[in-house]
Amino acid sequence: MRVLIAGCGYVGSALAQELVQAGHTVWGLRRDPQGLPEGVLPMAADLTRPETLQDLPAALDIVVYAASSGGRKEENYRAAYVDGVRCLLEALEPQKTSLKRVLFTSSTSVYAQQDGSWIDEDSPAEASGFTGAFLREGEQILWSWGVPAVVLRLAGIYGPGRFRLIEQVARGEARCPAGEARYSNRIHRDDCAGALHHLMMLPDVQPLYLGVDAAPVELCEVQRWLAEQMGFPHPPVVSDDEAPHPLRGNKRCRGARLLESGYTLRYPSYQDGYKGILQEWMQKNAASVERG
Ligand SMILES: NC(=O)c1ccc[n+]([C@@H]2O[C@H](COP(=O)([O-])OP(=O)(O)OC[C@H]3O[C@@H](n4cnc5c(N)ncnc54)[C@H](OP(=O)(O)O)[C@@H]3O)[C@@H](O)[C@H]2O)c1
């Protein structure tokens, strides 16, 4: 198959690599396409500038839109999830009839629920604010384009090289709120890639899937576990008001639809996923792991 990955970054590159290994022809599009995995054909273009999209590869079978906003500003979100999608589809118009499928990496942040309730593909996605609104607009543009479109709403992505939570714990900056349980949801980068690969090939694919691992967990549980693995004390417990922003989210995403479609998670739990990442981080920081 001939596959274009538009926004070929952290997830896109992992996907591109596994598609190349499976024998597909893959183009990785980004503004700066240096350093793409071996075998991926680089394409330098800006998704928001139509003049850079005039030489897209022809006869594509699959297009994956995996660009990210690269920042939380309103204009960045509009560019990444609305303008970029519109421009790309416009550029793909001449080959629309032969395209088999388009996929879009959206986010579970489109759900506003904060009461610990369970979320699935049928739950209302009504997050207020521009982040959810632009993501949902991008989804709608894709679904209404006329080519079978699959949206994968991903939870927080973690994986190799992404050490934010580990470093927060290691620096003693992690905090646990004292109140009731607050659930967080995550997915390993390689499961993002694996799920996209699976959904590309799935015969009876549906328009929407959640991309999450097997179980939501309290962020505190993950932080405590990481602290134990590194031999540090548990993060201090603080009042809810003092807890950092990510700890205020609280929903439980259910990934049953993806699993029932035949996908097997490579990293069902955070423990499975973080083992290798911790090792990678510890090797990199061997000299400075002990906190003074
Ligand atoms: N990170 C999370 O926890 C999370 C959670 C839920 C959903 N998601 C979604 O999952 C997807 C993949 O995330 P990721 O972590 O792989 O993102 P990433 O590493 O930031 O990669 C995004 C890629 O998009 C490219 N890009 C951005 N704007 C572009 C533009 N105007 N034209 C061309 N390329 C552009 C960037 O490359 P250049 O800068 O070189 O152009 C970058 O390589 C994104 O859609 C993201 O919104 C992420």
Side-chain angles (χ1 to χ4, degrees):
M1 293 231 263
R2 293 163 64 85
V3 184
L4 172 70
I5 302 179
C8 196
Y10 187 61
V11 167
S13 293
L15 173 64
Q17 188 164 26
E18 80 173 62
L19 290 174
V20 167
Q21 278 162 7
H24 301 291
T25 305
V26 183
W27 285 266
L29 181 156
R30 53 190 290 179
R31 286 164 298 196
D32 176 7
Q34 288 177 57
L36 288 171
E38 207 180 320
V40 179
L41 302 162
M43 171 149 195
D46 184 336
L47 289 160
T48 61
R49 291 176 51 212
E51 71 277 15
T52 68
L53 297 169
Q54 283 171 0
D55 296 321
L56 290 181
L60 290 165
D61 298 295
I62 304 276
V63 172
V64 181
Y65 192 95
S68 79
S69 59
R72 286 192 73 82
K73 284 192 191 147
E74 189 167 337
E75 62 262 34
N76 295 346
Y77 263 74
R78 186 186 291 109
Y81 301 114
V82 177
D83 301 343
V85 178
R86 280 218 178 92
C87 290
L88 181 67
L89 297 191
E90 184 67 36
L92 288 167
E93 203 65 38
Q95 51 177 312
K96 187 173 176 179
T97 50
S98 58
L99 257 182
K100 295 185 176 66
R101 198 168 285 182
V102 287
L103 294 97
F104 179 74
T105 52
S106 183
S107 167
T108 54
S109 67
V110 297
Y111 298 105
Q113 290 83 333
Q114 293 275 346
D115 57 355
S117 55
W118 281 96
I119 306 291
D120 66 16
E121 291 80 358
D122 297 321
S123 306
E126 294 164 348
S128 56
F130 66 84
T131 55
F134 288 137
L135 279 159
R136 285 201 312 276
E137 195 175 338
E139 295 176 347
Q140 289 300 339
I141 294 170
L142 220 76
W143 278 325
S144 57
W145 189 45
V147 169
V150 184
V151 169
L152 181 63
R153 288 181 177 159
L154 296 165
I157 300 169
Y158 74 109
R162 286 210 171 164
F163 302 128
R164 191 187 52 81
L165 198 57
I166 293 175
E167 284 175 345
Q168 209 179 43
V169 172
R171 285 198 297 260
E173 291 168 6
R175 299 286 177 271
C176 281
E180 64 193 41
R182 288 170 182 276
Y183 291 95
S184 64
N185 305 272
R186 61 192 46 73
I187 181 165
H188 192 281
R189 178 202 64 184
D190 295 350
D191 277 314
C192 300
L196 287 165
H197 189 175
H198 166 78
L199 294 173
M200 251 179 223
M201 307 295 169
L202 191 65
D204 292 318
V205 74
Q206 299 198 45
L208 177 62
Y209 294 83
L210 292 193
V212 291
D213 71 7
V217 285
E218 285 186 66
L219 187 52
C220 271
E221 180 189 319
V222 184
Q223 292 174 330
R224 287 195 187 113
W225 182 85
L226 286 172
E228 285 162 18
Q229 300 302 306
M230 294 187 278
F232 294 148
H234 281 175
V237 175
V238 296
S239 73
D240 283 5
D241 292 343
E242 288 172 275
H245 178 69
L247 284 167
R248 296 184 194 157
N250 188 16
K251 59 181 177 256
R252 285 181 274 184
C253 297
R254 201 193 316 270
R257 180 178 288 180
L258 179 64
L259 302 184
E260 282 159 14
S261 77
Y263 182 68
T264 304
L265 287 162
R266 298 166 188 181
Y267 298 99
S269 73
Y270 70 87
Q271 294 99 326
D272 296 325
Y274 265 116
K275 263 183 231 152
I277 307 164
L278 268 172
Q279 261 175 11
E280 184 195 351
W281 182 79
M282 286 186 187
Q283 275 162 10
K284 278 195 175 156
N285 295 275
S288 55
V289 164
E290 282 193 26
R291 224 177 32 241

